[in-house]
Amino acid sequence: MARVTDAPKVVTANRLQDGAVVWLTPAGDWSIRVQDAQVQTENAPVEAALAIARASAARQEVVDPYAVDVAVEAAGPRPLKTREWIRAAGPSIDALPASAA
Amino acid sequence: MSPSAAARQIAPPARGLPSHAGIYHYDQVDRDFLKERVEQFRRQVARRLSGELTEDEFKPLRLMNGLYLQLHAYMLRIAVPYGVLTSRQVRQLAHIARIYDKGFGHFTTRQNLQLNWIKLVDVPAILDLLAEVDLHAIQTSGNCIRNVTSDQFAGAASDEVVDPRHYAEVLRQWSTLHPEFSFLPRKFKIAITGSSADRAAICIHDVGLIAKRGANGQVGFEVYVGGGLGRTPFIAKKLRDFLPEDELIAYLEAVLRVYNAYGRRDNIYKARIKILVHELGIEKFREEVEAEFARMPRAQYRLDPAIVDGIKARFASQPYETLEPISGVLARARLEDHAFNRWVRTNVAAHRQPGYAIATITLKPAGGIPGDASADQLDAIAALAERYSFGEIRVTHEQNLVLAHVRQDDLPALWKALSTIGFGEANSGLITDIIACPGLDYCALANARSIPLAQRISERFADLDRQHDIGELKIKISGCINACGHHHVGHIGILGVDKKGVEAYQLTLGGSASEEGAIGDIMGPALSADEALDAIGAVVGVYLEQRQDGERFLDTLARIGHTPFKDKVYAAH
């Protein structure tokens, strides 16, 4: 089980049809932009958001939702762990081989 | 002209199946099987999308078809049986990458190709396209016998005793959907070679086979078992010195039965056969295998020479020209062009056929991503294979490609063409010929990024004169302890770890995946990426200072020990 921290949280998953990284918005739907994610600062709302996300997974919209720690910045939430900011921003390298650019 | 534009210029329109490419040619039974399998997975995907299957139910089914869910998308791992492809297959892979991915593919240490940006809804259509050219993604994942790997110079190398492709194909047919071995305690990897020089990393596989000839010229196999990397690395131990050809299947059945019966299923980290062999000891393990072997109805499992001959007959042979052993064209070009001569020194190997050579295409341009090739580059390589190597391409476990049958006279033109598409680097076996797993940029299991560090090392040592001066030095990088980047057997190994939420890199020294087989020793505490880069420089510096005439990096390390290297790297800490 993931360690419970005091950091603000957003809920994320991968979209079932294409595997794209998605973030749960305040409207209860999914966005591919982490900036659109609803930031939760209390435990109870995080659980409620996860319940919404699990219901979405049960409707075959997303796979394996979970909450991640973020820092709230002017540009929006920024995931704290390297893994999660790479999920949010995409690979840290050029997608195409350098020689093919 | 950009490499991409050059690649498009080289690649002419697709042609039919190259009739002389040295692959096993499928028959109708093979093709019908693949078609049925694609239809089965199409139905499974539809049931998942409709909700009839949950993710827990669907996951093992997609994994059996090589489909993973990674950080950003689904990843499809396409099997390249024992690393051999035709130009038609490579063109089809390029087409799939262009239409269904982001226009590139990643060759792996398992001689496979991974596509990193796949949509689940597209997978049935992709599998249709793969099946059109006799390709698939079966058994590239799951606790089964995985795609068999082999020597990338098979059937061409001057030092080859037995062509391992024929037996790799026997093993492919035997292991595909084998009902008894579809739910093993853990995955099972077999590698086979037929040469004295081990280019297939036999020593780090669950089973490693060296095909050789007995006193009367008959084919047999030296059998190794229990090699592997990951959390608990082991070099394989010898199980049999000479297993006669006709007993190959029976004996492997016995090995797998013992593993299936005694391998641990309660702890994923102790489930590989290497742990069983280690815990039982090789003598006891051998006793168990021999007892099982003795109990088996051997006639039923006998590998009939007629079957082997039938398989050999389905491999096309190459209509070689009769040529002088040494090409005057090649000799002159080497004298006239220093850069070409340098490429020949590192990237060209001796062929068994007079006047021919084996050319390694390192997918490691300076600062590039190890093992990546764009669709345009793949098309260009397919065209070059048709022009110069009977339409055949090999994939190496070091994430490179090989044209195995090039006329020596054609090497200058081939190198020029490769240079225009960004793959003419003269660095095979050198410090920038780095193995790197996808790491945390793509992989859901990774703890740290591999590719950016590989790129920085490649940039740091880009000077080819310096690389050639350093000589053979193999760097291997894994982004986690699962060791897909083979870091344990790197001359310099680099393991990415998560150090309290920060990426860090642990260095090892002295590993080797060749015939001497060795697991590297950890140098010391993990370093930041910047420090690791400097540490590589420091290690190379000590080697250059200390080496004696003719010594490779591993030779100097063996002579002077690890301390001078450790002292230099950690002096500032």
Side-chain angles (χ1 to χ4, degrees):
Chain A
M1 183 183 285
R3 196 163 53 92
V4 177
T5 69
D6 295 332
K9 290 180 174 52
V10 298
V11 171
T12 184
N14 288 79
R15 204 157 53 196
L16 173 65
Q17 293 215 353
D18 59 4
V21 176
V22 287
W23 308 87
L24 190 67
T25 72
D29 55 13
W30 297 97
S31 170
I32 56 170
R33 290 163 30 95
V34 69
Q35 295 88 339
D36 297 336
Q38 181 174 32
V39 180
Q40 309 286 0
T41 52
E42 303 288 336
N43 272 342
V46 171
E47 284 309 313
L50 281 170
I52 291 169
R54 288 186 195 113
S56 174
R59 292 194 300 274
Q60 288 75 244
E61 293 166 350
V62 296
V63 178
D64 294 340
Y66 59 97
V68 301
D69 293 348
V70 294
V72 181
E73 299 179 345
R78 181 178 58 81
L80 294 178
K81 286 194 169 176
T82 311
R83 180 185 197 273
E84 296 306 328
W85 72 249
I86 288 176
R87 283 182 76 247
S92 66
I93 50 177
D94 289 337
L96 272 176
S99 55
Chain B
M1 191 187 304
S2 74
S4 190
R8 281 194 291 274
Q9 202 168 65
I10 286 172
R15 299 183 207 167
L17 179 69
S19 55
H20 298 299
I23 66 154
Y24 175 79
H25 288 244
Y26 271 21
D27 60 18
Q28 200 53 45
V29 174
D30 296 308
R31 297 206 168 96
D32 289 345
F33 160 70
L34 270 195
K35 207 170 162 189
E36 284 168 22
R37 179 75 177 207
V38 174
E39 287 312 308
Q40 182 189 56
F41 193 58
R42 176 173 276 115
R43 292 193 296 272
Q44 289 166 346
V45 170
R47 288 163 66 202
R48 174 68 188 110
L49 293 171
S50 73
E52 201 180 327
L53 290 176
T54 65
E55 185 61 20
D56 285 348
E57 290 166 333
F58 181 63
K59 188 175 175 182
L61 301 175
R62 67 168 160 77
L63 289 177
M64 284 178 190
N65 288 281
L67 188 64
Y68 289 73
L69 181 53
Q70 296 285 44
L71 292 187
H72 313 286
Y74 291 90
M75 179 272 281
L76 185 64
R77 184 180 290 156
I78 298 163
V80 180
Y82 33 95
V84 186
L85 289 165
T86 66
S87 55
R88 182 177 180 227
Q89 290 172 326
V90 170
R91 287 178 195 280
Q92 189 81 322
L93 293 171
H95 174 67
I96 292 168
R98 198 175 276 124
I99 303 298
Y100 293 106
D101 202 273
K102 292 196 175 185
F104 71 99
H106 176 74
F107 290 100
T108 76
T109 50
R110 299 277 309 139
Q111 296 181 303
N112 291 325
L113 181 78
Q114 293 184 176
L115 297 175
N116 286 317
W117 297 95
I118 294 299
K119 297 180 172 71
L120 175 62
V121 290
D122 291 336
V123 174
I126 294 169
L127 295 182
D128 276 335
L129 289 172
L130 290 174
E132 268 181 19
V133 293
D134 303 338
L135 287 173
H136 58 77
I138 300 166
Q139 291 183 205
T140 58
S141 178
N143 294 338
C144 55
I145 301 172
R146 300 286 186 89
N147 186 38
V148 175
T149 53
S150 189
D151 179 0
Q152 66 270 17
F153 295 172
S158 61
D159 63 348
E160 186 170 279
V161 180
V162 177
D163 188 339
R165 290 172 304 169
H166 306 141
Y167 299 95
E169 177 58 25
V170 167
L171 296 175
R172 187 191 72 78
Q173 295 189 16
W174 160 71
S175 62
T176 299
L177 302 195
H178 192 307
E180 194 176 337
F181 306 136
S182 290
F183 298 95
L184 293 165
R186 198 70 183 90
K187 59 189 168 182
F188 200 91
K189 299 173 182 176
I190 302 175
I192 180 167
T193 186
S195 293
S196 51
D198 181 5
R199 291 175 286 265
I202 295 301
C203 65
I204 56 168
H205 285 77
D206 296 291
V207 160
L209 299 169
I210 302 174
K212 57 187 192 179
R213 291 195 182 276
N216 302 322
Q218 76 275 27
V219 172
F221 303 90
E222 203 169 308
V223 182
Y224 289 82
V225 69
L229 301 176
R231 193 172 296 258
T232 320
F234 285 109
I235 296 297
K237 297 163 183 72
K238 192 189 280 192
L239 192 57
R240 268 282 192 115
D241 191 54
F242 191 85
L243 177 71
E245 176 191 87
D246 64 348
E247 293 181 349
L248 175 65
I249 297 303
Y251 198 76
L252 290 184
E253 288 263 346
V255 170
L256 276 144
R257 284 182 182 185
V258 170
Y259 172 49
N260 221 358
Y262 297 118
R264 288 181 61 170
R265 293 172 190 268
D266 61 326
N267 183 338
I268 193 173
Y269 302 119
K270 294 181 186 290
R272 295 288 290 271
I273 196 172
K274 63 189 175 184
I275 303 294
L276 179 65
V277 172
H278 175 69
E279 289 187 351
L280 284 182
I282 188 64
E283 295 303 329
K284 177 66 178 161
F285 183 82
R286 185 182 293 116
E287 266 177 41
E288 293 287 345
V289 170
E290 296 293 341
E292 181 64 31
F293 187 53
R295 278 196 294 271
M296 290 173 65
R298 300 270 275 283
Q300 193 181 318
Y301 289 94
R302 180 169 178 265
L303 177 58
D304 191 329
I307 291 176
V308 178
D309 288 344
I311 284 174
K312 283 180 186 169
R314 296 196 72 81
F315 277 86
S317 58
Q318 287 70 51
Y320 296 118
E321 295 172 41
T322 303
L323 300 170
E324 291 297 318
I326 305 295
S327 153
V329 172
L330 173 61
R332 275 193 300 280
R334 292 187 71 168
L335 280 175
E336 288 165 5
D337 189 335
H338 171 63
F340 171 67
N341 186 44
R342 203 161 45 187
W343 181 76
V344 172
R345 266 209 317 262
T346 50
N347 289 49
V348 174
H351 198 288
R352 65 185 182 186
Q353 182 69 20
Y356 283 79
I358 304 168
T360 295
I361 304 168
T362 39
L363 306 183
K364 317 284 172 62
I369 298 173
D372 273 16
S374 71
D376 289 341
Q377 287 169 323
L378 289 173
D379 275 341
I381 288 168
L384 293 173
E386 283 162 2
R387 197 172 304 160
Y388 297 120
S389 194
F390 304 105
E392 186 191 304
I393 298 106
R394 312 288 182 86
V395 185
T396 85
H397 84 268
E398 294 182 325
Q399 299 179 288
N400 294 319
L401 299 178
V402 164
L403 299 187
H405 317 284
V406 183
R407 287 175 1 136
Q408 291 178 15
D409 285 359
D410 290 333
L411 286 169
L414 171 65
W415 174 69
K416 276 184 189 144
L418 289 172
S419 299
T420 65
I421 63 168
F423 286 152
E425 202 79 351
N427 61 348
S428 178
L430 303 183
I431 192 168
T432 62
D433 187 6
I434 299 166
I435 289 181
C437 71
L440 194 51
D441 279 299
Y442 292 103
C443 178
L445 298 174
N447 289 322
R449 285 171 288 174
S450 304
I451 293 170
L453 184 55
Q455 290 177 299
R456 291 179 67 189
I457 296 169
S458 174
E459 284 162 2
R460 170 79 66 102
F461 290 95
D463 182 330
L464 279 169
D465 287 331
R466 189 171 177 217
Q467 288 191 56
H468 280 249
D469 178 41
I470 294 166
E472 184 188 78
L473 206 173
K474 300 194 176 190
I475 295 181
K476 308 189 183 200
I477 310 175
S478 304
C480 77
I481 196 62
N482 291 304
C484 295
H486 292 186
H487 67 277
H488 293 297
V489 288
H491 299 173
I492 300 175
I494 304 175
L495 166 65
V497 296
D498 180 335
K499 207 170 166 182
K500 295 180 181 168
V502 177
E503 293 167 288
Y505 298 89
Q506 195 172 66
L507 270 58
T508 55
L509 283 185
S512 172
S514 61
E515 46 280 9
E516 66 262 35
I519 304 295
D521 291 328
I522 294 171
M523 283 189 82
L527 305 165
S528 70
D530 287 344
E531 290 167 339
L533 189 60
D534 289 340
I536 303 287
V539 167
V540 171
V542 171
Y543 161 60
L544 293 177
E545 281 166 23
Q546 300 279 340
R547 73 176 168 188
Q548 294 177 350
D549 284 350
E551 273 188 345
R552 302 167 308 156
F553 173 76
L554 282 184
D555 301 327
T556 303
L557 181 68
R559 180 172 57 78
I560 68 174
H562 291 217
T563 306
F565 296 94
K566 287 181 186 174
D567 288 350
K568 185 80 173 178
V569 167
Y570 290 100
H573 290 260

